[in-house]
Amino acid sequence: MKLRHNPFARKGIAQIRRLQRFAHRCQSTKACYHDNPPLVCNSFPKSGTHLLLQVLQAFPGKVHYGSFIATTPPIRFRRRSDRDVLGRIRAIAPGEIVPAHLYFSEWAAASLSGLNCVHFFIYRDLRDVILSEANYLANMAWWHALHRPFRKVKSDIERIRLSLHGIPDRFAEYPDIAERFGFYEGWLDRDDTLSIRFEDLIGANREIAVRKMAGFYSRRTGIQLNADNLIKDALHLIRPEASHTFHRGEVGRGVKAMPDDLRLEFNEIAGELMKRLGYM
């Protein structure tokens, strides 16, 4: 098993980086956050967290210590208390890049703003999300609380259906796909958050998307970036296959994989949401 596929190896490396992060955080003042703002790499699960992280690592002077803020951590899959999440936000260091699956709340938004964080949120066509999630939970994430129920389902189509409908009777944080996205939807269309489509970062519009990110960073911080250099560095770093959760990363596979009856079920559950997101 490669290290990037081994959660315990990754967690060990992350622990060393957290010690470095702690030392950095203890030596920092408020001015440090102004001079070197942190970047928050927030995402709806299975929507391109690692892809967005790769782009953000092209921003000069930033470092990823291996930390991750999840409102609902995968091993137990129970929602953390607001106090716990707030403590994790407050532990962010200046110049740090922090990946996250962070639910929307006004207090979370205020906490990020209070640290001068520049907040990016990535989302994806939900049909591709449930396809990717079904494979991930069944075949890759053996430590995840949802692995066992997904592994018990033998048909790929039924696994996709399970991801669509959720398991709300067993896991309160895993209702149907539209309700799950609802935990994050408040981040969209906020002035203090730049929402990005996965498809724009992986497709022909990725240079435009990266330039938009550079402009957002400059407007939020007053720090000017060389957008052309950033784009060059970001495009060099974009390698979806480097993610330990990478499967295929193709756009539109979810539509092709759905039989007619499952497509109807999806539209009943998430059709309106998909229209709001601009996918239908």
Side-chain angles (χ1 to χ4, degrees):
M1 179 182 290
K2 294 181 180 179
L3 286 180
R4 71 184 178 92
H5 289 292
N6 188 315
F8 297 110
R10 289 187 289 107
K11 287 181 182 296
I13 294 171
Q15 181 62 30
I16 296 173
R17 291 174 177 170
R18 276 195 290 270
L19 293 175
Q20 297 172 328
R21 175 202 199 204
F22 178 74
H24 183 190
R25 177 72 176 80
C26 290
Q27 297 169 2
S28 299
T29 65
K30 187 174 182 179
C32 295
Y33 288 91
H34 177 270
D35 296 338
N36 194 7
L39 306 181
V40 176
C41 172
N42 196 11
S43 66
F44 184 63
K46 307 312 300 171
S47 293
T49 317
H50 198 269
L51 175 65
L52 179 58
L53 175 61
Q54 289 174 335
V55 175
L56 294 181
Q57 287 175 320
F59 280 67
K62 308 304 179 185
V63 59
H64 174 41
Y65 288 114
S67 58
F68 196 107
I69 301 175
T71 302
T72 303
I75 294 178
R76 298 183 64 192
F77 211 69
R78 295 180 182 176
R79 184 170 181 167
R80 285 192 167 109
S81 68
D82 293 351
R83 181 178 181 180
D84 186 350
V85 175
L86 180 59
R88 293 170 188 274
I89 292 174
R90 288 175 173 171
I92 296 173
E96 182 180 6
I97 306 172
V98 186
H101 294 325
L102 182 62
Y103 292 0
F104 171 77
S105 67
E106 292 291 348
W107 60 262
S111 299
L112 295 178
S113 180
L115 290 179
N116 199 33
C117 293
V118 184
H119 183 209
F120 301 90
F121 174 69
I122 190 168
Y123 61 100
R124 185 182 188 183
D125 187 324
L126 297 178
R127 294 164 294 193
D128 288 334
V129 167
I130 61 175
L131 178 67
S132 177
E133 184 173 70
N135 174 72
Y136 170 70
L137 292 174
N139 300 316
M140 302 175 71
W142 53 266
W143 64 90
H144 200 295
L146 295 173
H147 171 69
R148 185 169 295 178
F150 270 84
R151 193 65 180 171
K152 286 181 178 179
V153 178
K154 300 304 180 184
S155 163
D156 289 341
I157 293 299
E158 289 307 312
R159 287 172 180 165
I160 297 171
R161 179 172 276 112
L162 186 59
S163 179
L164 170 62
H165 289 276
I167 318 174
D169 55 331
R170 292 181 57 188
F171 298 95
E173 302 305 309
Y174 200 68
D176 68 54
I177 186 67
E179 288 192 47
R180 296 201 302 276
F181 192 86
F183 299 149
Y184 297 83
E185 191 171 3
W187 293 121
L188 301 177
D189 301 321
R190 287 183 60 92
D191 292 339
D192 57 4
T193 301
L194 181 63
S195 296
I196 306 161
R197 289 166 43 127
F198 170 88
E199 294 81 5
D200 289 338
L201 273 186
I202 206 169
N205 293 327
R206 58 186 179 178
E207 290 190 18
I208 297 173
V210 175
R211 189 175 297 277
K212 185 177 180 181
M213 292 171 65
F216 177 75
Y217 178 87
S218 295
R219 290 193 302 274
R220 294 291 300 168
T221 66
I223 300 172
Q224 297 302 311
L225 297 175
N226 185 316
D228 292 331
N229 287 345
L230 182 66
I231 290 170
K232 179 181 178 181
D233 292 342
L235 296 185
H236 177 73
L237 290 171
I238 290 177
R239 292 186 302 119
E241 69 279 4
S243 170
H244 70 281
T245 67
F246 176 76
H247 179 44
R248 293 187 184 178
E250 297 175 18
V251 173
R253 288 188 65 240
V255 177
K256 299 174 185 176
M258 286 187 187
D260 290 342
D261 58 339
L262 184 54
R263 188 175 294 111
L264 289 173
E265 291 176 38
F266 179 88
N267 290 341
E268 288 179 3
I269 290 172
E272 290 302 316
L273 173 58
M274 290 284 283
K275 290 178 183 177
R276 293 200 300 273
L277 296 178
Y279 288 104
M280 294 178 67

mmCIF file of all heavy atoms in Angstrom, residues 73-107:
data_model
loop_
_atom_site.group_PDB
_atom_site.id
_atom_site.type_symbol
_atom_site.label_atom_id
_atom_site.label_comp_id
_atom_site.label_asym_id
_atom_site.label_seq_id
_atom_site.Cartn_x
_atom_site.Cartn_y
_atom_site.Cartn_z
ATOM 1 N N PRO A 73 -16.367 14.421 11.280
ATOM 2 C CA PRO A 73 -15.207 13.593 10.952
ATOM 3 C C PRO A 73 -15.627 12.189 10.531
ATOM 4 O O PRO A 73 -16.647 11.665 10.992
ATOM 5 C CB PRO A 73 -14.408 13.571 12.260
ATOM 6 C CG PRO A 73 -15.397 13.889 13.327
ATOM 7 C CD PRO A 73 -16.427 14.786 12.707
ATOM 8 N N PRO A 74 -14.867 11.545 9.642
ATOM 9 C CA PRO A 74 -15.326 10.314 9.004
ATOM 10 C C PRO A 74 -15.342 9.065 9.875
ATOM 11 O O PRO A 74 -16.161 8.173 9.651
ATOM 12 C CB PRO A 74 -14.351 10.141 7.836
ATOM 13 C CG PRO A 74 -13.119 10.859 8.264
ATOM 14 C CD PRO A 74 -13.602 12.028 9.072
ATOM 15 N N ILE A 75 -14.456 8.951 10.847
ATOM 16 C CA ILE A 75 -14.338 7.687 11.577
ATOM 17 C C ILE A 75 -15.602 7.392 12.377
ATOM 18 O O ILE A 75 -16.139 6.282 12.339
ATOM 19 C CB ILE A 75 -13.091 7.706 12.480
ATOM 20 C CG1 ILE A 75 -11.827 7.749 11.606
ATOM 21 C CG2 ILE A 75 -13.069 6.466 13.374
ATOM 22 C CD1 ILE A 75 -10.535 7.817 12.395
ATOM 23 N N ARG A 76 -16.122 8.367 13.093
ATOM 24 C CA ARG A 76 -17.359 8.168 13.859
ATOM 25 C C ARG A 76 -18.569 8.725 13.124
ATOM 26 O O ARG A 76 -19.694 8.308 13.363
ATOM 27 C CB ARG A 76 -17.237 8.821 15.239
ATOM 28 C CG ARG A 76 -16.124 8.241 16.098
ATOM 29 C CD ARG A 76 -16.105 8.886 17.460
ATOM 30 N NE ARG A 76 -17.321 8.593 18.207
ATOM 31 C CZ ARG A 76 -17.662 9.226 19.324
ATOM 32 N NH1 ARG A 76 -16.893 10.192 19.805
ATOM 33 N NH2 ARG A 76 -18.773 8.911 19.946
ATOM 34 N N PHE A 77 -18.336 9.699 12.255
ATOM 35 C CA PHE A 77 -19.366 10.364 11.469
ATOM 36 C C PHE A 77 -20.481 10.937 12.352
ATOM 37 O O PHE A 77 -21.677 10.758 12.114
ATOM 38 C CB PHE A 77 -19.958 9.430 10.401
ATOM 39 C CG PHE A 77 -20.403 10.189 9.173
ATOM 40 C CD1 PHE A 77 -19.470 10.782 8.332
ATOM 41 C CD2 PHE A 77 -21.744 10.330 8.867
ATOM 42 C CE1 PHE A 77 -19.864 11.507 7.218
ATOM 43 C CE2 PHE A 77 -22.152 11.052 7.759
ATOM 44 C CZ PHE A 77 -21.212 11.634 6.936
ATOM 45 N N ARG A 78 -20.040 11.628 13.369
ATOM 46 C CA ARG A 78 -20.951 12.377 14.237
ATOM 47 C C ARG A 78 -20.515 13.833 14.224
ATOM 48 O O ARG A 78 -19.321 14.132 14.253
ATOM 49 C CB ARG A 78 -20.926 11.831 15.661
ATOM 50 C CG ARG A 78 -21.451 10.418 15.776
ATOM 51 C CD ARG A 78 -21.404 9.933 17.209
ATOM 52 N NE ARG A 78 -21.854 8.560 17.326
ATOM 53 C CZ ARG A 78 -21.849 7.867 18.462
ATOM 54 N NH1 ARG A 78 -21.377 8.426 19.577
ATOM 55 N NH2 ARG A 78 -22.276 6.620 18.486
ATOM 56 N N ARG A 79 -21.475 14.699 14.228
ATOM 57 C CA ARG A 79 -21.176 16.130 14.102
ATOM 58 C C ARG A 79 -20.447 16.647 15.329
ATOM 59 O O ARG A 79 -20.850 16.400 16.471
ATOM 60 C CB ARG A 79 -22.482 16.909 13.887
ATOM 61 C CG ARG A 79 -22.280 18.383 13.655
ATOM 62 C CD ARG A 79 -23.574 19.024 13.211
ATOM 63 N NE ARG A 79 -23.432 20.443 12.961
ATOM 64 C CZ ARG A 79 -24.339 21.186 12.327
ATOM 65 N NH1 ARG A 79 -25.458 20.616 11.880
ATOM 66 N NH2 ARG A 79 -24.131 22.457 12.118
ATOM 67 N N ARG A 80 -19.361 17.373 15.091
ATOM 68 C CA ARG A 80 -18.641 18.002 16.179
ATOM 69 C C ARG A 80 -19.464 19.142 16.769
ATOM 70 O O ARG A 80 -20.279 19.764 16.091
ATOM 71 C CB ARG A 80 -17.307 18.559 15.685
ATOM 72 C CG ARG A 80 -16.241 17.515 15.422
ATOM 73 C CD ARG A 80 -14.891 18.177 15.216
ATOM 74 N NE ARG A 80 -13.810 17.203 15.255
ATOM 75 C CZ ARG A 80 -13.094 16.821 14.211
ATOM 76 N NH1 ARG A 80 -13.347 17.350 13.010
ATOM 77 N NH2 ARG A 80 -12.137 15.938 14.336
ATOM 78 N N SER A 81 -19.224 19.447 18.026
ATOM 79 C CA SER A 81 -19.886 20.581 18.647
ATOM 80 C C SER A 81 -19.389 21.876 18.014
ATOM 81 O O SER A 81 -18.274 21.938 17.470
ATOM 82 C CB SER A 81 -19.608 20.593 20.151
ATOM 83 O OG SER A 81 -18.235 20.882 20.400
ATOM 84 N N ASP A 82 -20.211 22.910 18.112
ATOM 85 C CA ASP A 82 -19.798 24.214 17.596
ATOM 86 C C ASP A 82 -18.518 24.685 18.281
ATOM 87 O O ASP A 82 -17.631 25.265 17.639
ATOM 88 C CB ASP A 82 -20.911 25.246 17.814
ATOM 89 C CG ASP A 82 -22.145 24.957 16.980
ATOM 90 O OD1 ASP A 82 -22.088 24.067 16.103
ATOM 91 O OD2 ASP A 82 -23.180 25.617 17.210
ATOM 92 N N ARG A 83 -18.408 24.407 19.562
ATOM 93 C CA ARG A 83 -17.224 24.816 20.320
ATOM 94 C C ARG A 83 -15.975 24.132 19.783
ATOM 95 O O ARG A 83 -14.917 24.763 19.657
ATOM 96 C CB ARG A 83 -17.428 24.493 21.800
ATOM 97 C CG ARG A 83 -16.258 24.904 22.694
ATOM 98 C CD ARG A 83 -16.561 24.598 24.143
ATOM 99 N NE ARG A 83 -15.467 25.008 25.018
ATOM 100 C CZ ARG A 83 -15.473 24.855 26.333
ATOM 101 N NH1 ARG A 83 -16.539 24.317 26.925
ATOM 102 N NH2 ARG A 83 -14.444 25.244 27.053
ATOM 103 N N ASP A 84 -16.098 22.852 19.463
ATOM 104 C CA ASP A 84 -14.962 22.093 18.925
ATOM 105 C C ASP A 84 -14.533 22.666 17.576
ATOM 106 O O ASP A 84 -13.343 22.900 17.328
ATOM 107 C CB ASP A 84 -15.369 20.624 18.777
ATOM 108 C CG ASP A 84 -14.210 19.718 18.367
ATOM 109 O OD1 ASP A 84 -13.141 20.227 18.006
ATOM 110 O OD2 ASP A 84 -14.394 18.490 18.403
ATOM 111 N N VAL A 85 -15.494 22.898 16.688
ATOM 112 C CA VAL A 85 -15.173 23.436 15.366
ATOM 113 C C VAL A 85 -14.549 24.828 15.493
ATOM 114 O O VAL A 85 -13.565 25.148 14.815
ATOM 115 C CB VAL A 85 -16.430 23.488 14.475
ATOM 116 C CG1 VAL A 85 -16.117 24.150 13.140
ATOM 117 C CG2 VAL A 85 -16.987 22.084 14.248
ATOM 118 N N LEU A 86 -15.105 25.640 16.382
ATOM 119 C CA LEU A 86 -14.574 26.984 16.588
ATOM 120 C C LEU A 86 -13.119 26.930 17.059
ATOM 121 O O LEU A 86 -12.272 27.710 16.601
ATOM 122 C CB LEU A 86 -15.426 27.738 17.602
ATOM 123 C CG LEU A 86 -15.002 29.170 17.935
ATOM 124 C CD1 LEU A 86 -14.986 30.035 16.678
ATOM 125 C CD2 LEU A 86 -15.931 29.765 18.988
ATOM 126 N N GLY A 87 -12.820 25.985 17.957
ATOM 127 C CA GLY A 87 -11.451 25.843 18.436
ATOM 128 C C GLY A 87 -10.491 25.471 17.316
ATOM 129 O O GLY A 87 -9.348 25.940 17.280
ATOM 130 N N ARG A 88 -10.964 24.646 16.373
ATOM 131 C CA ARG A 88 -10.123 24.238 15.249
ATOM 132 C C ARG A 88 -9.891 25.401 14.284
ATOM 133 O O ARG A 88 -8.816 25.523 13.692
ATOM 134 C CB ARG A 88 -10.747 23.035 14.538
ATOM 135 C CG ARG A 88 -10.742 21.790 15.400
ATOM 136 C CD ARG A 88 -11.566 20.644 14.844
ATOM 137 N NE ARG A 88 -11.654 19.576 15.820
ATOM 138 C CZ ARG A 88 -10.748 18.607 15.972
ATOM 139 N NH1 ARG A 88 -9.701 18.563 15.172
ATOM 140 N NH2 ARG A 88 -10.890 17.693 16.903
ATOM 141 N N ILE A 89 -10.902 26.250 14.125
ATOM 142 C CA ILE A 89 -10.721 27.438 13.292
ATOM 143 C C ILE A 89 -9.709 28.382 13.940
ATOM 144 O O ILE A 89 -8.807 28.911 13.276
ATOM 145 C CB ILE A 89 -12.064 28.145 13.062
ATOM 146 C CG1 ILE A 89 -12.980 27.279 12.189
ATOM 147 C CG2 ILE A 89 -11.849 29.510 12.411
ATOM 148 C CD1 ILE A 89 -14.390 27.831 12.026
ATOM 149 N N ARG A 90 -9.840 28.574 15.238
ATOM 150 C CA ARG A 90 -8.945 29.500 15.936
ATOM 151 C C ARG A 90 -7.501 29.013 15.965
ATOM 152 O O ARG A 90 -6.586 29.801 16.215
ATOM 153 C CB ARG A 90 -9.456 29.716 17.359
ATOM 154 C CG ARG A 90 -10.729 30.561 17.411
ATOM 155 C CD ARG A 90 -11.274 30.660 18.823
ATOM 156 N NE ARG A 90 -12.397 31.595 18.906
ATOM 157 C CZ ARG A 90 -13.168 31.737 19.972
ATOM 158 N NH1 ARG A 90 -12.939 31.018 21.067
ATOM 159 N NH2 ARG A 90 -14.157 32.606 19.966
ATOM 160 N N ALA A 91 -7.286 27.739 15.715
ATOM 161 C CA ALA A 91 -5.933 27.188 15.710
ATOM 162 C C ALA A 91 -5.210 27.396 14.382
ATOM 163 O O ALA A 91 -4.031 27.064 14.256
ATOM 164 C CB ALA A 91 -5.974 25.694 16.040
ATOM 165 N N ILE A 92 -5.901 27.961 13.381
ATOM 166 C CA ILE A 92 -5.275 28.208 12.079
ATOM 167 C C ILE A 92 -4.122 29.198 12.231
ATOM 168 O O ILE A 92 -4.238 30.210 12.928
ATOM 169 C CB ILE A 92 -6.315 28.755 11.081
ATOM 170 C CG1 ILE A 92 -7.398 27.700 10.813
ATOM 171 C CG2 ILE A 92 -5.656 29.178 9.780
ATOM 172 C CD1 ILE A 92 -8.562 28.217 9.971
ATOM 173 N N ALA A 93 -3.016 28.902 11.569
ATOM 174 C CA ALA A 93 -1.825 29.752 11.643
ATOM 175 C C ALA A 93 -1.777 30.727 10.463
ATOM 176 O O ALA A 93 -2.382 30.475 9.416
ATOM 177 C CB ALA A 93 -0.566 28.888 11.650
ATOM 178 N N PRO A 94 -1.065 31.839 10.608
ATOM 179 C CA PRO A 94 -0.896 32.758 9.474
ATOM 180 C C PRO A 94 -0.259 32.048 8.282
ATOM 181 O O PRO A 94 0.655 31.237 8.443
ATOM 182 C CB PRO A 94 0.046 33.829 10.034
ATOM 183 C CG PRO A 94 -0.134 33.769 11.506
ATOM 184 C CD PRO A 94 -0.405 32.330 11.828
ATOM 185 N N GLY A 95 -0.761 32.327 7.095
ATOM 186 C CA GLY A 95 -0.193 31.746 5.890
ATOM 187 C C GLY A 95 -0.509 30.280 5.688
ATOM 188 O O GLY A 95 -0.010 29.669 4.727
ATOM 189 N N GLU A 96 -1.327 29.706 6.556
ATOM 190 C CA GLU A 96 -1.630 28.281 6.441
ATOM 191 C C GLU A 96 -2.729 28.035 5.411
ATOM 192 O O GLU A 96 -3.673 28.816 5.295
ATOM 193 C CB GLU A 96 -2.082 27.730 7.796
ATOM 194 C CG GLU A 96 -2.362 26.233 7.767
ATOM 195 C CD GLU A 96 -2.803 25.682 9.108
ATOM 196 O OE1 GLU A 96 -3.011 26.467 10.050
ATOM 197 O OE2 GLU A 96 -2.949 24.448 9.197
ATOM 198 N N ILE A 97 -2.596 26.942 4.677
ATOM 199 C CA ILE A 97 -3.665 26.463 3.806
ATOM 200 C C ILE A 97 -4.385 25.348 4.550
ATOM 201 O O ILE A 97 -3.763 24.353 4.935
ATOM 202 C CB ILE A 97 -3.131 25.919 2.473
ATOM 203 C CG1 ILE A 97 -2.243 26.949 1.776
ATOM 204 C CG2 ILE A 97 -4.285 25.511 1.570
ATOM 205 C CD1 ILE A 97 -1.539 26.402 0.543
ATOM 206 N N VAL A 98 -5.688 25.510 4.772
ATOM 207 C CA VAL A 98 -6.448 24.553 5.575
ATOM 208 C C VAL A 98 -7.574 23.943 4.749
ATOM 209 O O VAL A 98 -8.576 24.608 4.469
ATOM 210 C CB VAL A 98 -7.048 25.217 6.831
ATOM 211 C CG1 VAL A 98 -7.713 24.168 7.717
ATOM 212 C CG2 VAL A 98 -5.969 25.956 7.612
ATOM 213 N N PRO A 99 -7.453 22.674 4.341
ATOM 214 C CA PRO A 99 -8.589 22.002 3.714
ATOM 215 C C PRO A 99 -9.697 21.795 4.750
ATOM 216 O O PRO A 99 -9.419 21.672 5.948
ATOM 217 C CB PRO A 99 -8.000 20.658 3.255
ATOM 218 C CG PRO A 99 -6.520 20.823 3.332
ATOM 219 C CD PRO A 99 -6.256 21.829 4.401
ATOM 220 N N ALA A 100 -10.937 21.717 4.262
ATOM 221 C CA ALA A 100 -12.055 21.582 5.203
ATOM 222 C C ALA A 100 -13.289 21.023 4.515
ATOM 223 O O ALA A 100 -13.483 21.207 3.307
ATOM 224 C CB ALA A 100 -12.385 22.951 5.814
ATOM 225 N N HIS A 101 -14.090 20.319 5.311
ATOM 226 C CA HIS A 101 -15.489 20.063 4.998
ATOM 227 C C HIS A 101 -16.255 20.781 6.103
ATOM 228 O O HIS A 101 -16.638 20.185 7.111
ATOM 229 C CB HIS A 101 -15.815 18.573 4.999
ATOM 230 C CG HIS A 101 -15.141 17.775 3.930
ATOM 231 N ND1 HIS A 101 -14.902 18.283 2.659
ATOM 232 C CD2 HIS A 101 -14.660 16.510 3.918
ATOM 233 C CE1 HIS A 101 -14.309 17.354 1.925
ATOM 234 N NE2 HIS A 101 -14.145 16.283 2.661
ATOM 235 N N LEU A 102 -16.429 22.072 5.923
ATOM 236 C CA LEU A 102 -16.965 22.939 6.970
ATOM 237 C C LEU A 102 -18.381 23.377 6.632
ATOM 238 O O LEU A 102 -18.606 24.081 5.647
ATOM 239 C CB LEU A 102 -16.056 24.160 7.132
ATOM 240 C CG LEU A 102 -16.421 25.181 8.214
ATOM 241 C CD1 LEU A 102 -16.374 24.547 9.602
ATOM 242 C CD2 LEU A 102 -15.474 26.383 8.150
ATOM 243 N N TYR A 103 -19.347 22.942 7.451
ATOM 244 C CA TYR A 103 -20.737 23.355 7.260
ATOM 245 C C TYR A 103 -20.835 24.872 7.366
ATOM 246 O O TYR A 103 -20.076 25.525 8.090
ATOM 247 C CB TYR A 103 -21.640 22.758 8.330
ATOM 248 C CG TYR A 103 -21.854 21.268 8.294
ATOM 249 C CD1 TYR A 103 -21.253 20.445 7.335
ATOM 250 C CD2 TYR A 103 -22.678 20.663 9.244
ATOM 251 C CE1 TYR A 103 -21.474 19.086 7.326
ATOM 252 C CE2 TYR A 103 -22.906 19.295 9.240
ATOM 253 C CZ TYR A 103 -22.295 18.501 8.284
ATOM 254 O OH TYR A 103 -22.515 17.153 8.285
ATOM 255 N N PHE A 104 -21.837 25.425 6.698
ATOM 256 C CA PHE A 104 -22.052 26.864 6.804
ATOM 257 C C PHE A 104 -22.720 27.226 8.121
ATOM 258 O O PHE A 104 -23.638 26.546 8.594
ATOM 259 C CB PHE A 104 -22.933 27.385 5.673
ATOM 260 C CG PHE A 104 -23.338 28.822 5.885
ATOM 261 C CD1 PHE A 104 -22.431 29.835 5.644
ATOM 262 C CD2 PHE A 104 -24.599 29.145 6.381
ATOM 263 C CE1 PHE A 104 -22.777 31.162 5.871
ATOM 264 C CE2 PHE A 104 -24.955 30.463 6.610
ATOM 265 C CZ PHE A 104 -24.046 31.481 6.349
ATOM 266 N N SER A 105 -22.251 28.314 8.707
ATOM 267 C CA SER A 105 -22.931 28.978 9.823
ATOM 268 C C SER A 105 -22.415 30.406 9.861
ATOM 269 O O SER A 105 -21.295 30.681 9.418
ATOM 270 C CB SER A 105 -22.668 28.279 11.160
ATOM 271 O OG SER A 105 -21.313 28.409 11.539
ATOM 272 N N GLU A 106 -23.207 31.284 10.406
ATOM 273 C CA GLU A 106 -22.770 32.678 10.504
ATOM 274 C C GLU A 106 -21.578 32.811 11.439
ATOM 275 O O GLU A 106 -20.665 33.597 11.177
ATOM 276 C CB GLU A 106 -23.934 33.557 10.990
ATOM 277 C CG GLU A 106 -25.073 33.704 9.984
ATOM 278 C CD GLU A 106 -24.685 34.524 8.752
ATOM 279 O OE1 GLU A 106 -23.594 35.169 8.780
ATOM 280 O OE2 GLU A 106 -25.455 34.527 7.776
ATOM 281 N N TRP A 107 -21.570 32.030 12.521
ATOM 282 C CA TRP A 107 -20.444 32.130 13.455
ATOM 283 C C TRP A 107 -19.152 31.582 12.838
ATOM 284 O O TRP A 107 -18.067 32.105 13.106
ATOM 285 C CB TRP A 107 -20.751 31.457 14.785
ATOM 286 C CG TRP A 107 -21.062 29.991 14.722
ATOM 287 C CD1 TRP A 107 -22.280 29.402 14.714
ATOM 288 C CD2 TRP A 107 -20.110 28.915 14.661
ATOM 289 N NE1 TRP A 107 -22.173 28.036 14.647
ATOM 290 C CE2 TRP A 107 -20.849 27.716 14.624
ATOM 291 C CE3 TRP A 107 -18.718 28.860 14.639
ATOM 292 C CZ2 TRP A 107 -20.233 26.456 14.549
ATOM 293 C CZ3 TRP A 107 -18.100 27.611 14.572
ATOM 294 C CH2 TRP A 107 -18.855 26.424 14.527
#
